[in-house]
Amino acid sequence: MNHYSTGADPYDAGAALGRALRADGLSPGQAHLPALSAEKRDFGEKSARICAAEYPSLLAEIRGLADGLKMPFSDLAAFLFGIYNFPPFQGCTCFAAQGEGGEVIFGRNSDFLTMFEPYDASFHYTISGKHAFVGNSTAPVQIEDGVNEFGLAAGLTFLWPVVKKPGLNAGMLVRYLLEHCKTVREAIGALREFTISSSQTITLADRHGGMAVVECNAERFEIIIPRPGERFVAATNDFHSAGMREYRCPCADDLQSGLRYRVARAALQSRTRYNLSFAKDLLSGKFGFLCQYDRSLGADTVWSVVCLLRQGRIFRCEGNPSRDEWREDFRLNFAPLP
């Protein structure tokens, strides 16, 4: 997994990242990007215009990234804005739980195609005027899971888009929340203001004990909070709120989203006390199927993350947690608890 630090001005941060990716031989190209059809180019162009109005600093960063990569902006926009709207498959598991001593635990497995593993990256962002954060992703600019300096964690799982329209996709939404919000309540309020393009769940947790799963797409927005008597939320690649069930895709569940959801909930229900060891064990598949993919079929859990939000600690496994090592990440300076 590659590590990059970016900061200061959005355009300059994007340009520096683009140069670093190109130097590392990781510039997007025809060898690993899907064909940029006329539909994708039109989608990217329209989405970029929306991004300019709703998240201008991100668009500036994308322009810098394109220049650093020496890649046409239109090609990069078609790729980045289309990632969750023209997806290769759906994967990932998220949970948040109120742990021992009031600790708030956030965890996520990232499941993706093994052919893209060389492009997996962990970023330390310190853009001027925005919250610093550490986040992980399979593509630049957009973020799939992360935690910011104020102890807000966010992670996505995505779904096949039954409906879609130009706008901001799942990874861009997670990125915005980490850069601008401190609490789950703030994050939910911010999400409501965006033109959302893709279909996803976003699991949220903060150091004050707030937690929720937002299920949303281009047409609807629903919030799931812990059920009575429970101190956790969980999400995989399906909608579970009554309001979103009509947007479930009838496609094949190749990565066992239903099974992963049942395993995660059953493990969380079986405990009254949650700690770091439990979180690692859950993501490592010790309570049932969560990451035990047949790698020879081309997909696997490619990284895992556990964050202890009150302590301000981040742990990441850069590989499949059933066989690879967990390490602590010390890059982010957390703000003191109020």
Side-chain angles (χ1 to χ4, degrees):
M1 195 172 196
N2 307 292
H3 289 207
Y4 299 101
S5 293
T6 62
D9 175 77
Y11 175 89
D12 292 343
L17 177 60
R19 290 191 295 269
L21 291 171
R22 191 157 47 86
D24 291 342
L26 300 175
S27 177
Q30 294 303 316
H32 65 280
L33 291 185
L36 298 176
S37 64
E39 181 188 10
K40 292 178 183 179
R41 289 184 179 280
D42 179 68
F43 193 91
E45 180 181 345
K46 291 176 179 176
S47 295
R49 289 200 294 266
I50 293 170
C51 188
E54 299 185 4
Y55 197 175
S57 64
L58 185 70
L59 192 65
E61 187 176 329
I62 294 172
R63 291 193 181 279
L65 180 65
D67 290 346
L69 289 168
K70 297 187 181 301
M71 180 179 184
F73 171 78
S74 59
D75 286 0
L76 186 60
F79 166 55
L80 289 175
F81 286 103
I83 285 177
Y84 297 100
N85 291 289
F86 304 92
F89 80 106
Q90 55 186 18
C92 307
T93 303
C94 279
F95 75 90
Q98 184 82 50
E100 294 177 349
E103 183 57 86
V104 183
I105 302 172
F106 171 87
R108 181 175 183 270
N109 276 354
S110 180
D111 306 334
F112 202 52
L113 301 175
T114 55
M115 65 181 291
F116 292 120
E117 279 182 309
Y119 303 92
D120 295 346
S122 182
F123 299 92
H124 179 208
Y125 267 97
T126 53
I127 298 292
S128 179
K130 302 184 187 300
H131 304 333
F133 70 90
V134 165
N136 310 296
S137 181
T138 54
V141 175
Q142 59 99 24
I143 296 294
E144 296 168 27
D145 60 63
V147 58
N148 70 20
E149 61 182 311
F150 295 102
L152 174 70
L156 66 85
T157 75
F158 63 99
L159 286 74
W160 290 104
V162 175
V163 295
K164 62 186 174 187
K165 66 180 181 180
L168 299 179
N169 67 31
M172 297 171 179
L173 297 173
V174 169
R175 167 75 183 273
Y176 183 93
L177 301 181
L178 294 174
E179 282 193 329
H180 294 85
C181 302
K182 297 180 180 180
T183 66
V184 170
R185 183 175 181 178
E186 285 182 17
I188 291 172
L191 282 172
R192 291 186 182 277
E193 300 302 314
F194 283 108
T195 303
I196 296 173
S197 65
S198 52
S199 295
Q200 58 275 309
T201 78
I202 299 178
T203 300
L204 300 165
D206 64 43
R207 57 170 52 173
H208 309 289
M211 63 184 72
V213 173
V214 176
E215 298 185 342
C216 57
N217 63 9
E219 294 184 348
R220 197 174 179 95
F221 188 104
E222 298 286 343
I223 301 167
I224 297 174
I225 60 175
R227 299 175 185 177
E230 296 181 345
R231 295 178 293 112
F232 65 85
V233 292
T236 55
N237 309 99
D238 203 356
F239 290 138
H240 293 278
S241 63
M244 297 299 294
R245 286 176 184 163
E246 65 179 290
Y247 298 105
R248 286 176 164 177
C249 180
C251 52
D253 187 9
D254 294 334
L255 291 190
Q256 303 292 326
S257 174
L259 175 58
R260 286 185 283 112
Y261 182 75
R262 293 191 296 273
V263 166
R265 280 198 55 83
L268 289 158
Q269 287 174 327
S270 71
R271 296 293 186 95
T272 58
R273 298 170 68 87
Y274 311 114
N275 55 26
L276 176 61
S277 294
F278 166 81
K280 289 180 177 179
D281 286 348
L282 174 56
L283 294 175
S284 300
K286 293 184 179 179
F287 291 89
F289 183 89
L290 221 66
C291 65
Q292 298 94 319
Y293 298 108
D294 182 350
R295 188 175 172 83
S296 68
L297 298 179
D300 201 0
T301 296
V302 294
W303 77 74
S304 299
V305 170
V306 174
C307 301
L308 305 180
L309 301 182
R310 290 187 65 80
Q311 293 183 45
R313 301 180 72 186
I314 305 168
F315 299 85
R316 186 172 53 256
C317 173
E318 299 185 356
N320 189 304
S322 68
R323 57 179 179 270
D324 294 309
E325 184 179 354
W326 291 86
R327 291 187 172 89
E328 189 166 1
D329 187 332
F330 296 99
R331 290 176 293 172
L332 186 63
N333 293 319
F334 285 84
L337 280 167

